[in-house]
Amino acid sequence: MNTKFEELHDFFGAYFHQDWTIEHESAEEVISAFLTESDIDVLRLVQQEINLLIRDNKDEQKLREYLLKELSCYYCYWNEWGTGEHWLLHIASRLDIMINQLDSST
């Protein structure tokens, strides 16, 4: 198991596992499920780890391999997104919106 990004590994492994397309119609639906099923502390940790992964500046091929082999992500983002960085930034943005909503409701 990847210990550098434990929460990110848990997120991808639990939500973008090999059979994610059986449970969800789209990657956006998967992200929405995660956002509604997770508490704010988990959302913050996943967001932090996504930001750290982006800062690692892996080239596109290495990022694809890392997401699959180390983080157990079985979503082929390159079919919908230009780069892995763009997709990860999108997830981080959705996390930010949800975290802000939860913060403002407390």
Side-chain angles (χ1 to χ4, degrees):
M1 179 173 150
N2 185 303
T3 57
K4 183 175 181 182
F5 299 114
E6 287 184 44
E7 292 296 328
L8 205 47
H9 179 270
D10 290 348
F11 163 58
F12 286 126
Y15 286 87
F16 283 103
H17 52 77
Q18 290 175 325
D19 296 324
W20 72 267
T21 57
I22 294 170
E23 297 174 8
H24 301 282
E25 301 263 332
S26 68
E28 289 304 305
E29 192 177 287
V30 173
I31 297 167
S32 293
F34 173 71
L35 293 173
T36 58
E37 295 170 5
S38 301
D39 66 44
I40 194 167
D41 294 330
V42 171
L43 298 177
R44 283 188 177 116
L45 288 169
V46 169
Q47 184 184 45
Q48 289 170 0
E49 290 184 5
I50 285 175
N51 291 333
L52 289 172
L53 178 58
I54 290 168
R55 278 186 242 144
D56 276 353
N57 285 323
K58 295 181 185 314
D59 70 41
E60 185 59 30
Q61 189 58 40
K62 286 184 181 170
L63 182 57
R64 285 183 191 185
E65 290 175 16
Y66 190 79
L67 285 166
L68 174 63
K69 294 178 182 175
E70 298 295 325
L71 298 180
S72 302
C73 178
Y74 288 89
Y75 168 59
C76 300
Y77 63 82
W78 52 90
N79 290 326
E80 297 180 54
W81 294 87
T83 66
E85 181 179 349
H86 287 128
W87 181 58
L88 292 171
L89 286 168
H90 171 70
I91 297 170
S93 173
R94 294 215 39 210
L95 285 161
D96 191 49
I97 291 166
M98 179 61 90
I99 290 166
N100 287 333
Q101 287 175 354
L102 292 171
D103 277 341
S104 66
S105 69
T106 56

